[in-house]
Amino acid sequence: MLSDIATIRSVRAIVPVLLALAVATACQPAVQSGPRSTVSASPSGPSRHVFVIVLENSSYQQALAQSYISSLADQYAVASNYHDLGEPSLPNYLAMTSGSTWGVSDNEFHALPATGIGNQLTKARVSWKAYMEGFTGDCFDSPYPYALKHNPFPYYGDECPPNIVPMTDLVTDLNGTPPWLSWITPGLCNDGHDCGVRTADRWLSRFVPQITDSTAWKKDGVLFITWDESDAGDNHVPLLVIAPKMRGEITTRLDHYSLLATISDLLRVPRLGLAKQATSLTRQLQAGRPIP
């Protein structure tokens, strides 16, 4: 763990030097071009409170075989044709939050431009928080079960936003005024990464009712639960869509860019990167049922 932290610190220290060299020599960046937003945001505010839970490493079949996850799919809606973007974890988290994988194909630290849904919301003065289990105040140096690779927000701009808080803060916020976007990342055991999908299922059974019992969710909320990647190698993972009036099976082909497109539309900020062309679920949410 200490060696990993030292590596992260070393990488962060040399990033400014590398950037200066890149400018001086007019070299092209090693990663893909980042997402750009060209559409103006709506002058009106967000339309719904959005909650997102991202779990780890389960196929669609494995996840839906769990008792509580299956009950959520039966009671609300499940996107049965939803797909990840392949292995490993980090590129999927980047896609969900910025509309690009940035050419990243590992779980190492990469300092990226200051973009992403978090920065967008901050500039638009739309409240958001990322609730991280195990987070102790430092995005780059918090102990197990926290994992930096499952927290995409510090990658954008190479800094730890003040919006990242311990998961325990969510209970207080739900009893008061939660932010418009609540991004929720369990630790390496409860997300299923180290302890399996059954543990994740039990964690959800204790955690989800705290959200669905809240005034914000009952009034205008939607909770999305998905997995970063399938451990079956088929890129097929569930997306649970939990809203008070949402029911049914969504068969439209979707992926992590679709999730970002939906979040952006609901919070009324421009879509980033490949989310611009992705299919959004806003029409289904408005109708309360799947729409072909």
Side-chain angles (χ1 to χ4, degrees):
M1 180 67 180
L2 292 176
S3 62
D4 291 341
I5 294 169
T7 300
I8 291 171
R9 296 295 190 192
S10 299
V11 171
R12 295 177 67 216
I14 66 172
V15 164
V17 177
L18 294 177
L19 290 175
L21 289 172
V23 172
T25 57
C27 291
Q28 295 296 319
V31 296
Q32 294 174 351
S33 297
R36 294 182 179 180
S37 175
T38 58
V39 182
S40 298
S42 168
S44 57
S47 62
R48 286 177 178 262
H49 281 91
V50 178
F51 302 87
V52 181
I53 297 175
V54 184
L55 302 172
E56 283 284 315
N57 301 1
S58 179
S59 69
Y60 183 92
Q61 289 77 12
Q62 280 182 319
L64 269 294
Q66 308 308 309
S67 59
Y68 186 70
I69 294 169
S70 177
S71 72
L72 290 175
D74 291 340
Q75 185 176 356
Y76 298 103
V78 59
S80 59
N81 195 10
Y82 188 88
H83 300 269
D84 65 52
L85 301 177
E87 299 178 350
S89 292
L90 179 58
N92 290 286
Y93 283 86
L94 296 177
M96 281 186 268
T97 52
S98 71
S100 175
T101 65
W102 299 86
V104 171
S105 58
D106 55 45
N107 285 324
E108 303 302 318
F109 180 77
H110 301 268
L112 302 174
T115 182
I117 186 70
N119 282 290
Q120 264 193 312
L121 295 175
T122 297
K123 291 177 181 178
R125 298 183 179 181
V126 175
S127 60
W128 71 279
K129 287 184 181 180
Y131 300 89
M132 301 280 162
E133 185 180 11
F135 178 73
T136 57
D138 188 338
C139 294
F140 303 96
D141 188 12
S142 284
Y144 186 91
Y146 171 85
L148 174 59
K149 64 183 179 180
H150 297 163
N151 177 8
F153 302 102
Y155 290 78
Y156 307 118
D158 186 20
E159 62 180 4
C160 190
N163 310 72
I164 299 176
V165 297
M167 186 177 290
T168 50
D169 285 12
L170 182 61
V171 174
T172 301
D173 290 346
L174 287 173
N175 290 328
T177 304
W180 285 106
L181 173 63
S182 297
W183 187 280
I184 301 160
T185 301
L188 284 168
C189 183
N190 286 326
D191 67 4
H193 186 281
D194 290 355
C195 302
V197 68
R198 290 184 181 179
T199 296
D201 187 64
R202 289 192 294 268
W203 178 84
L204 286 172
S205 71
R206 298 188 301 270
F207 196 87
V208 168
Q210 297 180 59
I211 296 174
T212 56
D213 287 343
S214 69
T215 301
W217 182 86
K218 290 178 179 178
K219 180 181 178 182
D220 58 16
V222 56
L223 166 62
F224 299 104
I225 302 175
T226 193
W227 282 253
D228 68 331
E229 59 183 289
S230 170
D231 62 357
D234 57 2
N235 305 118
H236 187 200
V237 295
L239 173 68
L240 299 171
V241 183
I242 302 171
K245 297 180 180 179
M246 190 69 190
R247 304 288 185 274
E249 180 183 357
I250 302 167
T251 59
T252 306
R253 183 178 175 85
L254 305 166
D255 58 22
H256 288 328
Y257 296 125
S258 303
L259 177 58
L260 178 59
T262 305
I263 295 170
S264 301
D265 291 351
L266 293 175
L267 298 179
R268 293 177 177 166
V269 294
R271 298 186 191 183
L272 291 170
L274 293 177
K276 294 177 185 177
Q277 290 80 42
T279 300
S280 172
L281 290 170
T282 50
R283 290 177 61 237
Q284 283 90 336
L285 285 165
Q286 290 169 354
R289 59 180 175 80
I291 298 175

